């Protein structure tokens, strides 16, 4: 009987621990990613400069490029600047915007990307997608997965705690996103990849059930691993389905309707996920999610983010328009504004119980 397998696109190296940044050069050399040390390192103009001072001695062959922001133009400029060098790999050293710019630029010049995350704000650090602002708003661009992911927990603790909170919300939203995927499979016959769903769901469940707090290395390790696994799950599935359902539709609606007032990606996704679980009748799971969100200091109601109930009704009513063709609990129920209003009131009561 033949043994059937499939190849999963995944990083050659995943190094998550305290002090990992100090060993970056050695890890890349040992894994034959960059034996020569010729690296193009993309950093921000702010915190990235401090990291350059810290690492330049251990990376003598590196060229350093400051990235202006998280726009498509920034990524194209980075790629143009790197063309003149003969590099082994591109290193994206920073938060999500820097890593996404580096992903796009690396793909454009045909080099592998090493993601060195300095915060845990969302699951994009290991995903096959670069999210960049463009002239039409914001776009998602397919790129290869990082060849290596390095996360130094000491550096993560130095970042503002709001970034960790955002990552928690994004990881927890996997649970709702997978439930939406399964709903689309039952109702519309949409193909579902069991492995991708399992990876994303277990990443979310691990964060949901971990008793640790924001400053605990064990909790940060689980969160970082969960975000990496989520990125890989999207590669396995071939799209963002394992990590993006009604939760992310609600997040996008906040961004589009209230661009000046929107909260962080993870805060909006966490609230969206808890509300979506309530909508599908999984009240106990929704309450459990709100309890964990609250314990980590994340919002559980629209009012916690500075919005009133009517604004949240507008957001939920608009949310399906942000991802045409994606079937979630929002499309399934197709609630009127009065229906959303009643559902939100019931959700607030259950979250307060």
């Amino acid at each position: 009987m033949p043994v059937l397998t499939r190849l999963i696109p995944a990083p050659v190296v995943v190094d998550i621990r305290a002090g990992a940044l100090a060993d970056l050069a050695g890890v890349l050399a040992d894994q034959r990613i960059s034996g020569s040390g010729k690296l193009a390192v993309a950093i921000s103009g702010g915190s990235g400069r401090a990291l350059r001072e810290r690492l330049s001695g251990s990376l003598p062959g590196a060229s350093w490029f400051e990235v202006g922001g998280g726009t498509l133009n920034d990524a194209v400029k980075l790629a143009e600047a790197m063309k003149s060098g003969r590099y082994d790999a591109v290193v994206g050293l920073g938060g999500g915007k820097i890593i996404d710019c580096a992903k796009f630029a690396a793909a454009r010049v045909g080099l592998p990307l090493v993601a060195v995350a300095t915060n845990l704000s969302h699951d994009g650090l290991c995903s096959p997608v670069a999210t960049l602002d463009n002239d039409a708003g914001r776009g998602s661009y397919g790129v290869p997965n990082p060849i290596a992911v390095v996360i130094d927990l000491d550096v993560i603790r130095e970042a503002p705690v709001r970034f960790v909170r955002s990552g928690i919300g994004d990881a927890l939203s996997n649970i709702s996103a997978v439930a939406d995927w399964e709903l689309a499979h039952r109702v519309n016959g949409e193909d579902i990849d069991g492995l991708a769903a399992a990876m994303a769901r277990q990443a979310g469940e691990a964060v949901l059930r971990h008793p640790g707090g924001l400053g605990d290395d064990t909790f940060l390790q689980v969160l970082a691993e969960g975000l990496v696994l989520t990125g890989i799950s999207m590669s396995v599935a071939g799209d963002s389905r394992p990590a993006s359902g009604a939760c992310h539709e609600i997040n996008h609606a906040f961004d589009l309707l209230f661009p000046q007032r929107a909260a962080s990606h993870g805060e909006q996704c966490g609230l969206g996920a808890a509300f979506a679980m309530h909508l599908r009748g999984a009240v106990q799971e929704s309450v459990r999610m709100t309890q964990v969100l609250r314990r980590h200091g994340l919002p559980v109601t629209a009012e916690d983010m500075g919005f009133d109930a009517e604004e949240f009704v507008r957001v939920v009513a608009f949310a399906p328009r942000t991802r045409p063709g994606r079937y979630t609990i929002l499309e399934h129920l197709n609630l009127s504004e009065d229906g959303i209003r009643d559902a939100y009131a019931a959700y607030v009561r259950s979250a307060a119980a």
Side-chain angles (χ1 to χ4, degrees):
M1 179 180 292
V3 178
L4 301 179
T5 63
R6 62 173 167 176
L7 298 177
I8 298 174
V12 174
V13 177
V14 176
D15 189 10
I16 305 172
R17 58 187 168 87
L21 200 56
D23 297 333
L24 177 61
V27 168
L28 299 184
D30 290 345
Q31 297 297 327
R32 300 183 182 179
I33 296 170
S34 177
S36 71
K38 289 283 291 179
L39 300 167
V41 186
I43 58 172
S44 69
S47 59
R49 292 177 182 173
L51 290 171
R52 176 178 180 175
E53 293 177 5
R54 175 175 166 182
L55 292 173
S56 57
S58 62
L59 299 173
S63 298
W64 300 80
F65 300 87
E66 288 190 9
V67 178
T71 71
L72 179 60
N73 285 339
D74 291 324
V76 171
K77 288 178 182 177
L78 175 61
E80 290 296 322
M82 293 190 306
K83 280 183 178 179
S84 59
R86 292 182 173 272
Y87 302 109
D88 300 326
V90 179
V91 177
L93 174 59
K97 290 183 178 181
I98 300 301
I99 290 176
D100 278 354
C101 277
K103 281 183 189 177
F104 185 94
R108 193 175 176 96
V109 298
L111 289 173
L113 185 280
V114 178
V116 182
T118 57
N119 67 59
L120 300 177
S121 60
H122 59 79
D123 56 28
L125 59 95
C126 191
S127 74
V129 176
T131 302
L132 300 167
D133 293 331
N134 56 39
D135 292 341
R138 180 167 294 173
S140 296
Y141 304 89
V143 295
N145 259 50
I147 196 172
V149 176
V150 176
I151 302 174
D152 189 329
L153 298 182
D154 291 333
V155 174
I156 298 302
R157 281 196 302 271
E158 294 172 3
V161 72
R162 69 178 184 276
F163 291 124
V164 176
R165 289 192 174 110
S166 181
I168 292 169
D170 205 18
L172 292 179
S173 73
N174 289 5
I175 299 168
S176 176
V178 172
D180 279 326
W181 199 7
E182 291 171 337
L183 173 67
H185 174 68
R186 291 193 304 271
V187 176
N188 293 334
E190 183 176 324
D191 288 339
I192 185 168
D193 189 301
L195 177 59
M199 293 172 71
R201 177 162 38 214
Q202 291 309 309
E205 290 283 351
V207 174
L208 181 73
R209 300 179 186 283
H210 197 284
L214 299 176
D216 298 343
D217 268 7
T218 54
F219 177 74
L220 293 177
Q221 181 98 24
V222 166
L223 175 59
E225 290 171 350
L227 295 175
V228 170
L229 281 174
T230 302
I232 296 173
S233 77
M234 288 187 265
S235 291
V236 171
D239 65 16
S240 63
R241 230 352 180 155
S244 177
C247 47
H248 280 62
E249 290 181 336
I250 290 172
N251 165 70
H252 295 319
F254 269 118
D255 289 343
L256 290 170
L257 294 178
F258 303 102
Q260 304 305 317
R261 295 170 55 198
S264 74
H265 172 88
E267 287 177 329
Q268 294 173 173
C269 288
L271 167 58
F275 180 64
M277 295 300 287
H278 179 89
L279 285 180
R280 62 174 46 92
V283 177
Q284 289 186 339
E285 291 87 344
S286 175
V287 170
R288 172 63 173 152
M289 196 174 288
T290 60
Q291 289 171 341
V292 172
L293 290 170
R294 186 176 287 116
R295 178 165 65 85
H296 290 301
L298 280 86
V300 298
T301 67
E303 288 80 1
D304 292 340
M305 295 195 305
F307 295 90
D308 62 33
E310 289 305 308
E311 289 172 325
F312 187 70
V313 170
R314 282 184 59 199
V315 164
V316 176
F318 183 81
R321 296 167 59 184
T322 67
R323 294 301 303 268
R326 180 148 294 185
Y327 193 82
T328 76
I329 191 63
L330 299 181
E331 289 79 6
H332 183 68
L333 296 178
N334 192 27
L335 294 174
S336 65
E337 289 195 359
D338 284 341
I340 297 170
R341 191 174 293 110
D342 291 343
Y344 179 63
Y347 164 78
V348 171
R349 288 194 297 272
S350 67

